[in-house]
Structure formats: C-alpha cells, structure tokens
Amino acid sequence: MPHTGRLLFGFILALAGLAAAGVAVAGQLATVNHFQCYRVDPGTPWKPVTLPLTTQFGTEKAAVGQLVLLCAPAHKNGSAVTNPTAHLACYPIKAEGFQPKSVVITNQFQKSAPMTVVAPVTLCVPSGKAVTITAGPPLKPPVVKGLDNYECFSVKSAATATHDIHVVDQFGTANGSSLQPLSLCAPAQINGSPYVDSTTHLVCYGVKLGPDVKATPVSIRNRFGIATATVVKRQSLCVPSTKKLG
C-alpha cells in the first residue's frame, strides 16, 4: 500500500476508534437513571451501623445514620428510565480523615466543570420501593439489581448551570430552572461488593422544582432490610456524570 494510502487508512481507523469510544461513554451513562431525590420522614427505628466504603477516592469507615432521602428514577426533559424499580435510599454518614479533592465533571448540564470534593455526606444504596396502601395486603418492595451503591460528597463549585427542566417520576411532574451543584456521588464498594459501573457518577443539583409532592407513605427494601417512611419534599436532581481528577 502506498505511503499516502497507509496514512489515510490509519486516520480512518483512528476516527473509528474515537467514535466507538464516544458511543461507549454515551451508552455507559445511558444505563444509569436520572434521579429526583426527596426528603423523607423515617418511620422505622434505626440501629446505627458502621461500614467500610471504598470509592475511587479511597477507603474509609463510615458511621451510617437514619434514612433522609429517597431518590426515584426520573424522566428529565424526556430522558429514558432504564431501570424503573431501582431507587436510591440515602443515609447520612460520618467518616474521618477525608482529604478534599479537585475534580472535573461533565454531564448534560455542565462540560468540564471544575469542582472541589469536600467531605462525605451520604451513603445511597439500591432500594426497592412500594407505595403504602390503606386497603388490602401491604405491597412488598421489589429486590433491586443492576445499580451501584454510591458514596456522596459535598462539593464546592463556582459554576451555576441554568436550564429549563421538566421532570416526571412516580411521585408526579415538576418544572424549574437554574441548578447549583450540591454533591458528587461516586460508585462505592461496601465490604468489597463488586461494582456494576465503576465510572459513571452522579452529580446532584439543588433546583427549585414545582409543584411540590404530596406526602406519600412508602416502604423501602434494601441491604438494611424493609423500612417505612413518608416522602415529603423535593430535594435535589441527580444526573449521570463523568469525572476525572483535576
């Protein structure tokens, strides 16, 4: 093959490789839902527990508190929901010795946005959810597969994203705009549990969405057992994101 032909062929192969990588990243993000997170009033008593958590930032022992958030799979501006039964139940955590990290985040709202990861704040675990009904036997929440645990960290960011947002989930429909990054959630191993997708993170944004949700009793099933709670208020919107160290 002439020299020019070899160069052209190599260039075409390189373009094909880049295109395939782009498809892989897009497909990877597409496997993780958007989540609308709600404040909850817990109903079931909580027994404190300490767990070893491992993320790409390191390993730490975390003291886990009582349930504070339930995150429901959400259609954001028409996005697909690929795993409709997979919710995230989030618990406050305390962990010693974490050192702040600089990261760069990319998602549908922000491109190459620098942030500082400050401290661990919650552990979000895959959970099944059932709405509590007044008549008939209680519904049992499903067992959830295909979703990682996430350790969520508070972040500092100078950037505020402004977008028109339309969110639909199992609790209703809401609209809003303007987002402030609140936390970065990294896939986490608990006691060495395997990752489902170790590269796709979630960035959770504070966003004013209305109307608010009606108080809704639910039961939740996850690694901590079955518990009851009441969904009371919209809290944040979490979107699939890629992360690299800054």
Side-chain angles (χ1 to χ4, degrees):
M1 180 183 294
H3 181 67
T4 302
R6 289 197 300 270
L7 286 177
L8 179 59
F9 183 68
F11 181 67
I12 292 172
L13 285 179
L15 286 178
L18 288 173
V23 169
V25 171
Q28 206 167 40
L29 291 177
T31 64
V32 179
N33 294 321
H34 295 76
F35 290 94
Q36 172 67 64
C37 296
Y38 295 87
R39 281 279 177 189
V40 300
D41 288 335
T44 303
W46 175 256
K47 294 182 179 180
V49 61
T50 299
L51 295 173
L53 302 179
T54 299
T55 69
Q56 295 166 353
F57 298 123
T59 299
E60 57 204 357
K61 287 188 176 181
V64 184
Q66 193 170 35
L67 178 72
V68 290
L69 294 174
L70 176 65
C71 301
H75 299 275
K76 189 274 300 173
N77 292 351
S79 64
V81 169
T82 59
N83 194 348
T85 63
H87 294 60
L88 289 170
C90 301
Y91 303 79
I93 58 174
K94 292 183 178 179
E96 302 292 337
F98 182 82
Q99 298 297 315
K101 306 287 191 304
S102 295
V103 299
V104 177
I105 296 298
T106 294
N107 56 39
Q108 295 172 336
F109 296 138
Q110 296 181 288
K111 304 297 182 185
S112 301
M115 296 181 185
T116 301
V117 179
V118 179
V121 287
T122 54
L123 169 65
C124 297
V125 301
S127 303
K129 177 226 76 189
V131 173
T132 303
I133 57 177
T134 56
L139 298 176
K140 192 172 185 179
V143 174
V144 167
K145 297 181 179 180
L147 183 63
D148 279 297
N149 303 288
Y150 291 91
E151 184 176 3
C152 299
F153 303 81
S154 59
V155 297
K156 289 183 178 179
S157 173
T160 299
T162 301
H163 293 269
D164 290 329
I165 302 165
H166 177 70
V167 177
V168 179
D169 65 26
Q170 299 155 1
F171 296 107
T173 300
N175 297 281
S177 62
S178 187
L179 305 104
Q180 179 63 45
L182 298 178
S183 61
L184 170 67
C185 300
Q189 294 176 302
I190 300 176
N191 287 325
S193 59
Y195 289 116
V196 176
D197 177 353
S198 63
T199 60
T200 302
H201 294 54
L202 293 169
V203 175
C204 300
Y205 294 88
V207 54
K208 292 182 179 179
L209 291 170
D212 216 329
V213 67
K214 294 181 179 180
T216 305
V218 297
S219 57
I220 297 167
R221 181 181 188 178
N222 57 35
R223 66 179 296 116
F224 299 123
I226 296 179
T228 59
T230 302
V231 173
V232 294
K233 187 176 181 61
R234 296 182 189 275
Q235 172 73 15
S236 56
L237 177 66
C238 301
V239 302
S241 307
T242 61
K243 175 223 79 190
K244 63 180 181 179
L245 294 176

